[in-house]
């Protein structure tokens, strides 16, 4: 069964605790937290204090996506804040293997993310060492962007590689996911769908998750 991870980037921050609890109540599997530094991507969002606050109001896993330069400097802070998954960008890491190893040694699941224009061969050497690959289906930095359809082929090729090599890796997709394209993305091989505006922009959180699950159920993913 495909997992759904609402992104708090699109939530109402004036009532963030309620928004997180509402996502959990609606059936979310993870809470996705986008961390941006204004350097690696052209936006600034949240830090460890917000992750810690979210951790206090929910029991489901926190999926923390670091879209920042020099992520090694902040691994400890986000682990201590309660991250269950910590994902770094291949494009931002000089020594990617060392960064991933650093995350896993702290008892947190390690993820690596790639932007739409980054080829899969950029992360092939790290695949044996990660728990998750996050494929960006928009250019990172802002919510509300349209899904880039060419990314579907990348997801499909990644799934084929994971199966052929016998890796135990989840494939997460982030950017422009909604009930209309969820089935196509899941069919290509995604295990986890990040939903921002399509989830928090709806007036029926339960309905959004129900719709996605119904459309993906027959895939048995």
């Amino acid at each position: 069964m495909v997992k759904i991870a609402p992104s708090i980037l699109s939530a109402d921050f004036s009532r963030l605790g309620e928004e997180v609890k509402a996502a959990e109540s609606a059936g979310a599997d993870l809470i996705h937290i986008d961390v941006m530094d204004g350097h690696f991507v052209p936006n600034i969002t949240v830090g460890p204090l917000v992750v810690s606050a979210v951790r206090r109001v929910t029991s489901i896993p926190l999926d923390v996506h670091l879209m920042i330069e020099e992520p090694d400097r902040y691994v400890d802070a986000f682990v201590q804040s309660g991250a269950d998954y910590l994902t770094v960008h291949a494009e931002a890491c000089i020594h990617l293997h060392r960064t991933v190893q650093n995350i896993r040694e702290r008892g947190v699941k390690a993820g690596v993310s790639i932007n739409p224009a980054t080829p899969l061969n950029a992360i092939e050497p790290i695949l044996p060492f990660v728990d998750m690959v996050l494929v960006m289906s928009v250019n990172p930095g802002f919510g509300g962007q349209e899904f880039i359809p060419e990314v579907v082929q990348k997801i499909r090729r990644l799934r084929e590689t994971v199966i052929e090599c016998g890796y135990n890796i989840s494939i997460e997709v982030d950017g422009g996911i909604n009930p209309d394209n969820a089935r196509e993305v899941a069919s290509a091989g995604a295990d986890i769908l990040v939903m921002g505006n399509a989830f928090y922009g709806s007036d029926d959180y339960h309905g959004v998750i129900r719709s996605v699950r119904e459309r993906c159920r027959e895939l048995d993913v």
Side-chain angles (χ1 to χ4, degrees), residues 69-192:
E69 294 180 353
E70 300 184 67
D72 296 86
R73 295 176 57 191
Y74 303 97
V75 166
D76 282 341
F78 283 103
V79 169
Q80 292 168 9
S81 295
D84 296 285
Y85 291 80
L86 199 55
T87 297
V88 297
H89 269 261
E91 303 90 351
C93 295
I94 298 175
H95 304 291
L96 182 55
H97 181 271
R98 180 185 300 166
T99 303
V100 167
Q101 186 178 37
N102 186 21
I103 294 170
R104 297 190 78 177
E105 285 177 350
R106 282 152 178 76
V108 172
K109 292 184 182 298
V112 62
S113 182
I114 51 174
N115 290 334
T118 301
L120 285 177
N121 60 20
I123 60 168
E124 285 178 357
I126 201 67
L127 292 181
F129 308 100
V130 298
D131 301 288
M132 180 170 71
V133 174
L134 169 51
V135 178
M136 293 300 300
S137 45
V138 298
N139 291 299
F142 297 94
Q145 299 182 66
E146 290 190 10
F147 181 84
I148 299 174
E150 289 77 12
V151 172
V152 172
Q153 283 297 103
K154 180 187 286 189
I155 299 166
R156 186 170 290 114
R157 292 196 303 272
L158 176 58
R159 173 53 66 194
E160 291 171 354
T161 299
V162 168
I163 293 172
E164 289 172 5
C165 297
Y167 297 140
N168 183 23
I169 297 175
S170 296
I171 298 176
E172 182 174 54
V173 180
D174 181 6
I177 303 294
N178 58 57
D180 293 329
N181 60 26
R183 188 183 188 283
E184 179 184 20
V185 175
S187 179
D191 302 293
I192 305 171

Side-chain angles (χ1 to χ4, degrees), residues 177-212:
I177 303 294
N178 58 57
D180 293 329
N181 60 26
R183 188 183 188 283
E184 179 184 20
V185 175
S187 179
D191 302 293
I192 305 171
L193 305 179
V194 177
M195 299 180 68
N197 280 12
F199 182 83
Y200 279 116
S202 168
D203 57 5
D204 182 5
Y205 296 168
H206 288 83
V208 171
I209 290 182
R210 183 172 60 252
S211 176
V212 171

